[in-house]
């Protein structure tokens, strides 16, 4: 095994790389979370676009963006540069257009309903495509930085911290400004323009502090190879389905919670406190995430976090006052935040499953499919929030909120999201790729590579050896007849094209 491959499996990542990776998602969320939290308010309260029309816009363009993700994933798999690798060029050169489009999206000219809608569709579509061109390479980068489960948990935690810091800052400093009756356009101008400079600094930090360490036999992957790795990848399919349901609930909640606190409970002042609590909480939880992963495994922790989040959402949805709604949202936030940390690490594990099954490593298309379902969930979540608010009869600037409009907002911000999050947890119970099984997959992949190198060097097949660190797995003098409890694959037969992986969890008779 080369030193490059061994370090990818065993070595700890430098702290600067972990911090730099987290900075990338902070930059991503200067565009993404700003749109998620405030764009519906901008469209309805500033531009004057009807809530139902905005809901249709979110649904159509986010589904379009989900399909665009697949095309971007293929593009990423085809690109490989000697200086910057596969992923960092997109971060370096795609970040500035993304941030400038965020400015353009929140500056809709007053040119009539049809003209404003057309402008909103064009700018939001371009924003989503630009976001895909940066975010898919960024998300794929984690699987290329390390194969160590604990280190991947650190990367997932770091990106969640980056996202939460931005989301918390938006809640603390920007959300209170949404209660102003006049001058909201200047608020959006100041915020989005300043984010161009902050975002560029963060993206550059990410690009220059991270490095791809995982060995890749085929640097340029064909379309046939890309889709072959997706075919039969049951862990990825189940993760994507669970992610779609989870994101639908999460985005609906985050989109409508300002309406809940501002219009139903007249307690907009609690939103900055909620955001501050979220920021504090993520730093309290972050050190324990790798420990929880080692003790419970990512799958079990994901399910527990989902049920906790749904419980908090239901409590907020039926709360009699603003304080109780605040408590419910805070509890729900704990579960949602914890699952969000785990989701990225779980996705990276499915890359190894595809490589183990086909012999080809395709981070780009794997992350693109994952992102596809997330974007679809975001589309459904934004549409659910907008439609529920519109069906309830919400009217911007109305002197009083009707009972029907109040329950429409409650449904959008809490009740419907809870149902989707519970469904996501139920799907994840069937997820087959435990941390123990994943470690054995990585061991077999490394053994296969070593035997190929040994064959090239003229070493007899059974005399190659490898020691793989991770989850207590150690495999030495592994030959063609080696078999693990959950995973077995004759590396020699696989290389000859005469073997296929068995179903996870079954022992060979």
């Amino acid at each position: 095994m080369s030193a490059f491959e061994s370090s990818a499996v065993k070595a700890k990542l430098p702290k600067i790389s972990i911090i730099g990776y987290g900075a990338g998602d902070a930059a991503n969320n200067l565009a993404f979370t700003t749109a998620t939290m405030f764009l519906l308010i901008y469209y309805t309260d500033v531009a004057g676009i009807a809530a139902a029309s905005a809901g249709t816009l979110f649904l159509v363009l986010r589904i379009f963006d989900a399909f665009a993700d697949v095309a971007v994933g293929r593009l990423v798999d085809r690109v490989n540069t000697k200086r910057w690798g596969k992923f960092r060029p997109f971060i370096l050169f795609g970040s500035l257009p993304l941030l400038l489009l965020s400015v353009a999206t929140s500056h809709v000219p007053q040119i009539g309903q049809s003209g404003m809608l057309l402008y909103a569709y064009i700018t939001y579509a371009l924003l989503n495509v630009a976001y895909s061109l940066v975010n898919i390479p960024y998300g794929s980068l984690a699987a290329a930085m390390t194969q160590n489960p604990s280190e991947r948990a650190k990367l997932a935690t770091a990106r969640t911290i980056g996202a939460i810091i931005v989301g918390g800052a938006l809640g603390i400093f920007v959300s209170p400004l949404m209660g102003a009756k006049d001058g909201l356009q200047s608020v959006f101008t100041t915020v989005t323009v300043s984010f161009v400079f902050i975002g560029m600094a963060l993206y550059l930090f990410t690009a220059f502090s991270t490095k791809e360490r995982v060995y890749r036999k085929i640097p340029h992957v064909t379309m046939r190879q890309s889709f072959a790795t997706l075919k039969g990848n049951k862990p990825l399919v189940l993760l994507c389905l669970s992610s779609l349901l989870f994101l639908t609930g999460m985005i609906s909640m985050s989109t409508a919670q300002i309406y809940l606190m501002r219009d139903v409970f007249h307690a907009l002042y609690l939103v900055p406190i909620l955001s501050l609590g979220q920021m504090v909480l993520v730093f309290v939880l972050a050190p324990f995430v790798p420990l929880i992963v080692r003790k419970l495994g990512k799958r079990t922790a994901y399910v527990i976090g989902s049920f906790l989040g749904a419980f908090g959402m239901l409590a907020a949805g039926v709360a009699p006052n603003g304080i109780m709604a605040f408590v419910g949202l805070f509890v729900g936030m704990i579960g949602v935040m914890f699952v969000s940390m785990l989701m990225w690490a779980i996705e990276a594990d499915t890359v190894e499953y595809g490589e183990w099954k086909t012999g080809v490593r395709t981070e780009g298309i794997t992350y693109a499919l994952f992102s596809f379902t997330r974007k679809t969930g975001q589309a459904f979540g934004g549409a659910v929030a907008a439609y529920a608010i519109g069906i309830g009869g919400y009217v911007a600037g109305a002197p009083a909120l009707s009972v029907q409009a109040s329950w429409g907002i409650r449904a959008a911000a809490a009740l419907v999201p809870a149902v989707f999050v519970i469904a996501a947890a139920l799907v994840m119970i069937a997820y087959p790729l435990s941390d123990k099984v994943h470690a054995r997959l990585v061991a077999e992949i490394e053994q296969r590579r070593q035997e190929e190198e040994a064959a090239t060097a003229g070493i007899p097949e059974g005399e190659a050896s490898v020691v793989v660190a991770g989850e207590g797995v150690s495999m030495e003098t592994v030959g063609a007849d080696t078999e693990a409890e959950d995973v077995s694959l004759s590396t020699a037969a696989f290389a000859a094209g005469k073997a296929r992986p068995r179903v996870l969890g079954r022992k060979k008779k």
Side-chain angles (χ1 to χ4, degrees):
M1 180 190 303
S2 68
F4 181 80
E5 297 173 56
S6 178
S7 65
V9 178
K10 297 189 292 185
K12 290 187 175 182
L13 293 172
K15 290 184 178 179
I16 191 67
S17 293
I18 296 173
I19 296 171
Y21 188 74
D25 215 30
N28 284 339
N29 280 275
L30 290 176
F32 174 75
T33 304
T34 300
T36 300
M37 291 180 67
F38 305 121
L39 192 56
L40 180 58
I41 291 177
Y42 176 81
Y43 283 155
T44 59
D45 293 13
V46 179
I49 297 173
S53 297
T56 301
L57 180 149
F58 286 140
L59 179 62
V60 171
L61 291 185
R62 285 174 178 170
I63 291 177
F64 158 78
D65 185 42
F67 283 96
D69 281 354
V70 177
V72 173
R74 277 290 307 130
L75 176 63
V76 171
D77 279 338
R78 290 177 60 85
V79 169
N80 191 56
T81 66
K82 292 183 178 180
R83 182 174 183 181
W84 300 108
K86 289 181 72 70
F87 308 117
R88 290 185 292 164
F90 293 92
I91 298 173
L92 276 171
F93 304 112
S95 51
L96 182 59
L98 167 63
L99 295 167
L100 291 176
L101 281 166
S102 183
V103 177
T105 302
S106 58
H107 288 76
V108 178
Q110 294 297 312
I111 51 177
Q113 273 293 319
S114 298
M116 290 190 296
L117 267 177
L118 178 62
Y119 179 91
Y121 268 90
I122 292 173
T123 53
Y124 192 53
L126 291 174
L127 175 68
N128 285 332
V129 172
Y131 182 75
S132 295
L133 285 167
V134 174
N135 184 57
I136 286 179
Y138 168 79
S140 303
L141 180 61
M145 290 176 66
T146 180
Q147 290 177 310
N148 186 311
S150 295
E151 296 304 297
R152 282 185 173 172
K154 291 178 183 178
L155 291 175
T157 301
R159 72 174 293 174
T160 303
I161 290 175
I164 293 299
I165 288 175
V166 171
L170 290 172
I172 293 170
F173 300 110
V174 180
S175 290
L177 303 177
M178 296 297 108
K181 297 297 183 182
D182 300 308
L184 276 179
Q185 181 61 73
S186 63
V187 170
F188 279 93
T189 299
T190 301
V191 168
T192 54
V193 171
S194 63
F195 284 175
V196 172
F197 298 96
I198 298 172
M200 279 305 303
L202 292 171
Y203 278 129
L204 290 174
F205 179 37
T206 298
F208 289 106
S209 63
T210 56
K211 182 180 179 181
E212 298 169 30
R213 294 173 173 82
V214 176
Y215 171 80
R216 182 180 293 102
K217 181 181 178 181
I218 304 175
H220 299 284
V221 181
T222 67
M223 180 176 293
R224 183 177 180 181
Q225 290 169 328
S226 290
F227 287 101
T229 61
L230 302 181
K231 185 180 180 181
N233 194 330
K234 181 180 178 181
L236 178 61
V237 171
L238 288 175
L239 174 63
C240 286
L241 177 58
S242 179
S243 175
L244 186 151
L245 295 167
F246 186 86
L247 265 291
T248 298
M250 187 184 80
I251 297 300
S252 180
M253 181 187 71
S254 63
T255 300
Q257 68 180 7
I258 289 182
Y259 290 89
L260 181 70
M261 302 306 292
R262 182 188 69 178
D263 298 303
V264 175
F265 296 115
H266 306 289
L268 186 61
Y269 67 92
L270 290 175
V271 174
I273 300 174
L274 184 67
S275 299
L276 180 61
Q278 185 178 31
M279 292 179 66
V280 173
L281 185 63
V282 73
F283 285 104
V284 172
L285 285 178
F288 297 100
V289 171
L291 176 63
I292 294 172
V293 167
R294 286 194 295 269
K295 294 294 184 181
L296 298 178
K298 292 188 282 289
R299 176 181 57 191
T300 302
Y302 183 108
V303 172
I304 293 173
S306 296
F307 279 114
L308 178 62
F311 173 78
M313 293 174 187
L314 290 172
V318 298
N321 54 59
I323 298 298
M324 295 300 295
F326 171 86
V327 172
L329 289 174
F330 186 81
V331 172
M333 180 181 64
I334 295 173
V336 168
M337 184 169 52
F338 186 71
V339 172
S340 296
M341 290 182 184
L342 296 174
M343 198 175 287
W344 307 112
I346 295 173
E347 181 276 331
D349 291 349
T350 65
V351 173
E352 271 80 48
Y353 182 88
E355 182 181 10
W356 171 77
K357 196 164 186 178
T358 65
V360 179
R361 187 176 183 85
T362 55
E363 296 98 333
I365 195 65
T366 301
Y367 187 84
L369 181 60
F370 178 60
S371 182
F372 172 90
T373 56
R374 287 178 60 85
K375 293 287 182 66
T376 304
Q378 292 163 14
F380 290 162
V384 164
Y387 287 144
I389 291 171
I391 291 171
Y394 170 80
V395 178
L401 190 70
S402 68
V403 174
Q404 183 179 351
S406 174
W407 279 105
I409 292 173
R410 286 175 183 265
L415 300 177
V416 174
V419 174
F420 280 103
V421 171
I422 291 172
L426 295 177
V427 169
M428 202 62 184
I429 290 174
Y431 182 79
L433 191 56
S434 68
D435 290 353
K436 186 177 181 180
V437 171
H438 173 260
R440 288 169 175 165
L441 293 181
V442 172
E444 287 205 13
I445 291 169
E446 295 303 325
Q447 177 61 23
R448 191 190 310 158
R449 290 173 183 162
Q450 183 175 351
E451 288 190 355
E452 290 174 355
E453 291 178 358
T456 302
I459 300 174
E461 181 183 322
E463 297 180 7
S465 65
V466 59
V467 177
V468 181
E471 300 298 315
V473 176
S474 179
M475 303 178 67
E476 300 191 28
T477 317
V478 182
D481 297 327
T482 297
E483 192 171 326
E485 178 183 352
D486 294 290
V487 178
S488 178
L489 181 65
S490 167
T491 54
F494 187 99
K498 299 178 180 179
R500 291 293 182 270
R502 291 187 291 106
V503 176
L504 294 181
R506 293 182 183 175
K507 294 183 180 180
K508 183 178 180 181
K509 295 182 180 179

